Amino acid sequence: MSEIAQTLEGAAKPDAEEDDALLEFGGPFGNLVLLFALPLIVAYLYFGWAFNGGSLIPGEQSDWAGWLRALVPTWQAIAFYLAWFGFQAALQAWAPGKIVEGTELPNGGRLRYKMNGRWAFVLSLGGMAALHFTGLLPLTFLVDQIGALISVITIFSYVFSACMYWLGKRNDPRLSDSTIRNFFMGAGHNPRLSKDALFDFKLFCEARPGLILWVVLNAAFAAAQYEAHGFVSVAMILVNVFQLIYIADYFINEPAILTTMDIKHENFGFMLVFGDLAWVPLTYTLQAAYLVDHVHDLPWWVAALAVAMNLGGLYIFRAVNLQKHEFRSDPENAKIWGKPVEYIQTKHGSKLLVSGFWGLSRHFNYVGDLLMAASWSLPCLFGSLLPWFYPVYFAILLVHRERRDHHFCKKKYGEDWDRYCERVRWRIVPFLY
Ligand code: NDP
């Protein structure tokens, strides 16, 4: 690891204003708490579905000892995860894909990214299916090892974050005086091994090991249900298909990630590392995990409602994100709903879109995400809070995320952002919030 490519988004050192601290997850103290609380939440949710009868509230049914035993790392889990991570890294590095430029950086340059996620997605799912059907590695292996995997991925995330901290901390003027904050929020913006390397650690972690593992784990839970009950329930099929479509859609529209907040504004620290590698595959699969032993007849109208909400949400999510992506890629020629786009030209140089969905609210894409989130839990019905964890957590995350984005943009665009907010009044849901 010789050279480090650091491309910095705004070179100002962050001040220690209180509002900053609050938005940055409670400042160093909040970051310290979250460093340990996030893995504990993941482990507790696992306790809920596997050792507490699918409930979040402990009771007579709780098997604490079984849970603790299951969390002990095993050699099988270590071998699987290292092989998985290595395989994903190899695909990112060597699978064919278009080279795409990211959005313009403040210093005028642009980073290049290799967009080969479709290959990674197809080869990973094909590979896991082949291992399953040949009997070399049945998918249920992952369910048997899930407790150990939780511990392995968590330890891996701490170690990997330490590597990213070491890689990124050199010459990043955005660093604060707090090591804890730098470790949690990240010390590097776009850590790469060399200046010209295409392998971007942040993009890789955002999009590959965790996102694809999410789909694989869902399939593993379906296989476990089949093994236990001799069939796969309609609810399980719906959850698997909905989430598969969501991830497939991501890979079909992969370059759209380059204009998101994580890629443009966030440093790459424990928060994103753990979020990408552990939180996504281990908590977004809760619905499928819950359904393994909660088999019910799903009323047809609930299934129909879930399908409608999922498709509606997916359409909104994708259409809104693509409107921004296409506009930002070619502002002068972009058209929305057949008309030339309207935008606010900022003194900073960027243009803020105010037509199409971006005229309805500042983050109408979040409405799509929330609809989808609810549709993923609906097939689990209302017997427990556990499968509803994702929509509840996600609503809180998106409200907080909108506040942080507002704060970043206000700092970046100043009065132009105020003008934009006057023109587009609603933050997320028009006429409500
Ligand atoms: P956005 O895609 O809305 O991106 C925000 C950035 O876009 C801003 O920082 C700003 O950056 C730019 N921007 C804001 N307003 C405008 C405008 N009017 N015109 C042009 N550019 C604008 O938000 P996110 O990155 O938060 O989310 C992306 C998607 O990912 C969403 O659909 C979200 O729901 C989803 N998501 C899903 C998660 C999950 O766990 N499932 C987690 C997080 C997000 P700048 O001006 O600097 O370019």
Side-chain angles (χ1 to χ4, degrees), residues 47-70:
F47 164 76
W49 68 261
F51 296 93
N52 197 38
S55 166
L56 281 175
I57 301 151
E60 280 178 9
Q61 73 286 1
S62 305
D63 177 7
W64 294 101
W67 173 59
L68 289 176
R69 269 197 309 277

Side-chain angles (χ1 to χ4, degrees), residues 54-262:
S55 166
L56 281 175
I57 301 151
E60 280 178 9
Q61 73 286 1
S62 305
D63 177 7
W64 294 101
W67 173 59
L68 289 176
R69 269 197 309 277
L71 283 171
V72 176
T74 60
W75 288 112
Q76 294 98 308
I78 295 171
F80 172 82
Y81 195 67
L82 291 181
W84 176 258
F85 195 88
F87 181 56
Q88 295 305 326
L91 287 170
Q92 168 79 68
W94 293 305
K98 246 183 25 194
I99 308 295
V100 170
E101 288 196 329
T103 54
E104 194 167 340
L105 300 158
N107 63 12
R110 284 175 193 261
L111 288 171
R112 296 185 323 134
Y113 295 88
K114 194 170 184 188
M115 292 289 150
N116 54 9
R118 289 180 209 181
W119 275 108
F121 189 50
V122 171
L123 290 176
S124 305
L125 296 194
M128 290 306 294
L131 289 173
H132 176 73
F133 289 113
T134 55
L136 286 173
L137 190 74
L139 282 168
T140 45
F141 160 85
L142 294 173
V143 181
D144 298 340
Q145 291 287 326
I146 191 82
L149 264 176
I150 288 173
S151 302
V152 168
I153 300 177
T154 301
I155 296 165
F156 187 89
S157 298
Y158 283 117
V159 175
F160 193 71
S161 303
C163 297
M164 290 300 106
Y165 176 73
W166 175 77
L167 236 187
K169 77 175 177 176
R170 306 190 212 166
N171 59 38
D172 186 342
R174 301 205 318 172
L175 289 189
S176 76
D177 297 331
S178 159
T179 306
I180 293 168
R181 178 173 167 167
N182 296 335
F183 182 80
F184 185 79
M185 298 304 297
H189 195 252
N190 301 98
R192 297 180 178 207
L193 289 185
S194 77
K195 218 171 166 188
D196 303 317
L198 287 173
F199 195 112
D200 184 282
F201 285 106
K202 182 164 68 171
L203 184 86
F204 168 67
C205 287
E206 285 267 306
R208 302 298 171 78
L211 219 51
I212 303 178
L213 188 59
W214 173 5
V215 178
V216 171
L217 281 177
N218 271 348
F221 288 123
Q225 191 190 54
Y226 185 77
E227 198 173 270
H229 302 277
F231 61 87
V232 180
S233 67
V234 174
M236 179 70 93
I237 293 172
L238 286 180
V239 167
N240 264 264
V241 172
F242 290 165
Q243 298 185 346
L244 175 73
I245 293 173
Y246 182 68
I247 306 301
D249 168 81
Y250 166 81
F251 285 113
I252 291 167
N253 297 288
E254 199 180 9
I257 195 178
L258 299 179
T259 54
T260 60
M261 185 176 158
D262 286 0

Side-chain angles (χ1 to χ4, degrees), residues 9 103 214 246 259-262 264-265 280 284 317 321 324 327-328 350-354 358 362-363 365-366 369 390 393-394 397-398 401 405 408-409 412-413 417 420:
E9 181 82 19
T103 54
W214 173 5
Y246 182 68
T259 54
T260 60
M261 185 176 158
D262 286 0
K264 292 207 64 168
H265 296 297
V280 167
Y284 291 16
F317 159 81
N321 286 329
K324 181 181 73 170
F327 166 70
R328 276 290 171 88
S350 306
K351 298 171 172 62
L352 295 169
L353 182 59
V354 292
W358 293 85
R362 294 176 222 153
H363 285 277
N365 43 0
Y366 292 179
D369 259 297
Y390 177 69
Y393 137 81
F394 200 45
L397 173 113
L398 290 182
R401 194 173 170 91
D405 194 47
F408 285 140
C409 291
K412 183 171 170 184
Y413 298 121
W417 186 252
Y420 169 70

Side-chain angles (χ1 to χ4, degrees), residues 40-51 55-56 67 150 279 282-283 286 386 389:
L40 285 176
I41 294 172
V42 172
Y44 187 79
L45 291 168
Y46 166 56
F47 164 76
W49 68 261
F51 296 93
S55 166
L56 281 175
W67 173 59
I150 288 173
W279 189 269
L282 299 171
T283 71
L286 275 178
L386 194 126
F389 173 81

